[in-house]
Amino acid sequence: MSHGALAQDKIAIAWEAIPSFDASQPATTKFGSFTYLRGGVLTADHREFGGFSGLRIGEGGTAFLAISDRGKWLRARLQRGDGGAVQKLVFAQFSDVVGPSGEVAARKRDKDAEGLAVLGDRAFVSFERLDVVREYSVSANGSPKFVRQVPYPFPVHELRQNEGLEALAIAPATSVVGADNLVAISEGSINPQGDLFAFVLAGGRRGTFFVKTRDDFNVTDAAFLPDGKLLLLERRFSLSKGLGMRIRLIDSGDIRPGQTVDGPILMEANLGQSIDNMEGISVWQNRQGETVISLISDDNLSFLQQTVYLEFRYDG
């Protein structure tokens, strides 16, 4: 662990708009239960920019908070024009995610942040290889500060290295999971039936449940809709089928200890559309009261990949 000065860099982020989600059908905007609104490719002149695995958009679509699996926070403002079009990201700040003693981890396994959930000025982060959830305080300025390690009374030995806690979401009052309760889902840790371990961390439905695995897709993130249902962002990569992304809907009424949950696929995409390694999802309301989902990709800090940011209106 390193106890040196934290890196808090102000950076300039370039935005290259993605005019259509499917370039072969540029006039098409309807994809499953969603309408494509806008998107862009994000770049910055910083050697650690990228690798984003968690995302939360707030304040009607202007506040941007992301976390990377290299242990970095990205905070920015989305500057919008007519109709909500993103013009650019401004006031961007890149900073270290610290541990319980204020330390900056030197090894990737100790800072492999994957899931991000935000409740007011509190941010919760799941770390995939450590299999812990930590709470941070988020102020108007500066890097989020460590508050505590969230109690996690579940079978950590069931979670596989590099396939542990991947998705993190906070339930709204409309969900039977219970207002403000955290739900965590693993990426590839499975029970004997081949289904993913998942957990409700507190409340009357606290306990272990399971997410049905389908078609070689893994869960990469999750977020609750205003009506209390849960969206799962999933990814597939195989040499035979290539890269794929999909969004699945889970009825939170099915989430209870010992239960295996499943639900309909609302949207599916592949490299024929403008996707990359999509890992982060956020649900928010725009100024018109519409439900919008934002997605972000993890480029693995590879020159062969991109940081893609997408926005869709949910029509379900």
Side-chain angles (χ1 to χ4, degrees):
M1 299 290 184
S2 169
H3 292 267
L6 300 183
Q8 295 189 30
D9 302 327
K10 293 182 179 179
I11 61 173
I13 299 177
W15 168 271
E16 181 183 350
I18 299 173
S20 58
F21 185 56
D22 190 329
S24 67
Q25 305 177 71
T28 300
T29 59
K30 184 72 173 175
F31 298 91
S33 298
F34 302 92
T35 296
Y36 179 67
L37 298 176
R38 61 193 64 90
V41 176
L42 308 180
T43 55
D45 188 16
H46 192 292
R47 63 184 179 86
E48 292 186 282
F49 183 85
F52 298 113
S53 53
L55 173 71
R56 286 299 179 265
I57 304 296
E59 299 178 25
T62 58
F64 180 107
L65 179 66
I67 199 163
S68 83
D69 59 12
R70 266 65 173 182
K72 293 287 186 178
W73 297 101
L74 174 61
R75 301 180 68 183
R77 306 290 296 183
L78 287 160
Q79 184 171 298
R80 297 181 182 269
D82 294 340
V86 175
Q87 297 173 324
K88 58 183 176 179
L89 276 74
V90 296
F91 307 118
Q93 185 180 64
F94 208 41
S95 60
D96 291 307
V97 177
V98 299
S101 301
E103 76 277 11
V104 178
R107 299 185 301 175
K108 184 180 184 297
R109 73 171 309 278
D110 294 322
K111 56 185 177 183
D112 188 2
E114 293 288 346
L116 172 64
V118 174
L119 182 63
D121 61 357
R122 302 155 65 198
F124 299 86
V125 179
S126 60
F127 292 82
E128 183 178 25
R129 303 193 204 197
L130 299 178
D131 293 318
V132 298
V133 178
R134 292 171 178 166
E135 180 182 341
Y136 294 81
S137 64
V138 182
S139 59
N141 298 296
S143 179
K145 295 179 173 55
F146 175 84
V147 175
R148 66 177 180 130
Q149 194 147 297
V150 178
Y152 186 76
F154 299 110
V156 175
H157 66 277
E158 295 284 7
L159 299 176
R160 320 296 191 256
Q161 280 292 310
N162 204 32
E163 293 187 324
L165 297 180
E166 179 80 11
L168 201 61
I170 294 179
T174 51
S175 169
V176 297
V177 171
D180 303 341
N181 285 331
L182 282 164
V183 172
I185 305 171
S186 67
E187 178 185 15
S189 299
I190 57 175
N191 64 10
Q193 289 71 45
D195 300 319
L196 297 172
F197 275 87
F199 313 93
V200 177
L201 272 64
R205 296 207 174 189
R206 189 185 80 169
T208 302
F209 69 101
F210 305 95
V211 176
K212 187 71 177 176
T213 54
R214 296 168 60 182
D215 312 320
D216 300 323
F217 277 81
N218 288 332
V219 172
T220 60
D221 205 1
F224 279 93
L225 289 165
D227 65 4
K229 293 181 180 178
L230 184 65
L231 292 180
L232 300 181
L233 176 63
E234 300 180 303
R235 173 199 57 215
R236 179 195 63 213
F237 179 75
S238 70
L239 294 177
S240 60
K241 298 179 180 179
L243 183 65
M245 175 208 84
R246 75 181 182 195
I247 298 173
R248 189 164 29 143
L249 181 69
I250 302 297
D251 188 336
S252 64
D254 295 336
I255 297 175
R256 57 176 61 89
Q259 181 79 10
T260 299
V261 302
D262 195 1
I265 296 167
L266 302 185
M267 171 182 161
E268 190 163 342
N270 55 40
L271 286 176
Q273 289 81 42
S274 298
I275 68 166
D276 203 283
N277 175 36
M278 310 310 293
E279 285 218 7
I281 184 171
S282 180
V283 174
W284 51 280
Q285 303 291 117
N286 65 16
R287 304 299 186 190
Q288 292 73 44
E290 298 169 323
T291 297
V292 181
I293 69 159
S294 292
L295 306 175
I296 198 167
S297 69
D298 173 1
D299 69 348
N300 292 302
L301 274 66
S302 167
F303 71 93
L304 297 174
Q305 295 178 255
Q306 296 177 313
T307 298
V308 174
Y309 174 83
L310 305 169
E311 292 183 351
F312 295 84
R313 185 182 69 232
Y314 175 57
D315 300 323

